[in-house]
Amino acid sequence: MSWETDLKGHPCFNRSASTRYGRVHLPVAPRCNVKCRYCDRRGDCPNESGPGAASRVLCPDEALAELKRLMARDQRIRVAAVAGPGDPLANEETFHTLDLVHREFPELIKCLSTNGLLLSDRVPMLKALGVKSVTVTVNAVDPRVAEPVYEWVRYRDETYRGRQAAARLVLNQLEGIWRAVRLGLAVKVNTVLIPGVNEGHVAEISRVVKGLGVRLMNVMPLVPRAGFRDLPAPGAAMMRAARTAAGAFTPQMDWCRQCRADAAGLLGECGRI
């Protein structure tokens, strides 16, 4: 796949597309298999604008109906994605939704965001459903750095904690990215910059994922909440330093808006399903 051609209308993979083309996040995936200490998944909240927030969870048929409505009124939509509010790959509704969308709108770019725990297992199915791009949130490639970020990880009916949880997640993420790239999906890596936790590790993440074939990296500032509510958000200088260090290996996305799981329209707009 020539990802530059196939994803030219994807506002999260192409800077020039971000002011011209829109995306729809279909909130059909409520369950999650990883507890990140910065994550506060919730329903509707007027003051919440970041990842994990959604006014409601839709069933696949409802999601398709909403997408049809949005497509009819906004000709800028180029991407249909599943980004939560939980992890898409931990919810069978994700695959049903993608199947419906692919049958109805084969021309749309299909995309999803994931923590990567189940990516290696699910890549063939994603490929068959027309998914062209995947975003994986990788906050560390060393379990020692990852350990404070995650409270627990549930994988194949077993719950891991501490260093074991971090090691399991990191291993699965890297294997999943490698397999996704080999099957022709374009992969972007998101990294949450957490002061005092992984701020000195971002360049290493970039180096490792670049070696796996990742095309783009998005270093995002921590939104202090949940278990990390007492940590400071990284300042502009820290963000610039992290992106510069990471940019030595992987091209950087610096136009991210940290969208909700039910976002719709252009990145700079506040539209929701």
Side-chain angles (χ1 to χ4, degrees):
M1 180 190 78
S2 172
W3 77 281
E4 293 89 348
T5 299
D6 285 357
L7 300 182
K8 64 182 179 181
H10 197 316
C12 300
F13 279 77
N14 187 333
R15 181 193 294 273
S16 65
S18 65
T19 58
R20 295 184 292 149
Y21 300 126
R23 81 291 183 237
V24 176
H25 287 174
L26 302 170
V28 297
R31 295 172 295 281
C32 199
N33 47 16
V34 174
K35 180 63 177 76
C36 305
R37 287 197 165 91
Y38 55 73
C39 184
D40 186 6
R41 294 185 296 120
R42 64 179 75 189
D44 197 23
C45 176
N47 298 318
E48 180 63 48
S49 60
S55 293
R56 59 194 176 112
V57 173
L58 305 178
C59 74
D61 288 332
E62 289 174 327
L64 181 63
E66 287 292 332
L67 180 59
K68 288 180 179 179
R69 180 181 63 81
L70 289 164
M71 291 287 290
R73 78 180 192 191
D74 191 342
Q75 302 304 309
R76 303 170 301 174
I77 301 298
R78 294 291 185 275
V79 178
V82 180
D87 186 77
L89 299 183
N91 294 263
E92 291 303 318
E93 294 88 346
T94 295
F95 305 100
H96 186 187
T97 301
L98 290 171
D99 183 44
L100 293 174
V101 171
H102 191 45
R103 292 174 186 271
E104 186 74 24
F105 299 105
E107 75 283 1
L108 283 181
I109 300 169
K110 266 67 71 176
C111 181
L112 64 80
S113 298
T114 176
N115 58 40
L117 183 66
L118 298 177
L119 183 56
S120 183
D121 298 335
R122 299 293 204 171
V123 165
M125 186 180 297
L126 296 178
K127 178 79 171 179
L129 293 172
V131 173
K132 291 186 179 295
S133 61
V134 176
T135 294
V136 185
T137 300
V138 179
N139 296 314
V141 291
D142 182 335
R144 294 171 296 181
V145 179
E147 182 177 359
V149 181
Y150 306 105
E151 186 175 331
W152 48 256
V153 168
R154 292 198 185 108
Y155 181 64
R156 294 183 178 175
D157 298 324
E158 186 168 353
T159 299
Y160 299 84
R161 297 182 184 275
R163 186 71 56 84
Q164 279 191 322
R168 169 50 60 190
L169 180 58
V170 168
L171 176 63
N172 285 26
Q173 287 174 333
L174 300 183
E175 288 184 350
I177 290 170
W178 181 87
R179 191 169 192 197
V181 170
R182 294 307 175 276
L183 287 182
L185 277 67
V187 179
K188 174 168 67 73
V189 159
N190 283 355
T191 296
V192 180
L193 184 59
I194 308 169
V197 177
N198 68 350
E199 63 186 88
H201 188 60
V202 173
E204 178 63 5
I205 298 171
S206 182
R207 184 190 69 80
V208 170
V209 301
K210 176 65 174 178
L212 296 174
V214 168
R215 299 284 187 161
L216 193 65
M217 183 179 187
N218 173 26
V219 181
M220 308 184 301
L222 172 74
V223 178
R225 57 186 180 179
F228 284 159
R229 61 186 173 274
D230 294 328
L231 290 183
M238 184 182 291
M239 290 298 301
R240 282 195 302 270
R243 286 172 173 157
T244 298
F249 303 99
T250 310
Q252 297 294 297
M253 177 193 184
D254 58 6
W255 61 95
C256 177
R257 296 296 181 265
Q258 292 183 273
C259 300
R260 290 168 54 103
D262 58 1
L266 297 182
L267 294 191
E269 298 176 344
C270 296
R272 306 177 187 176
I273 283 186

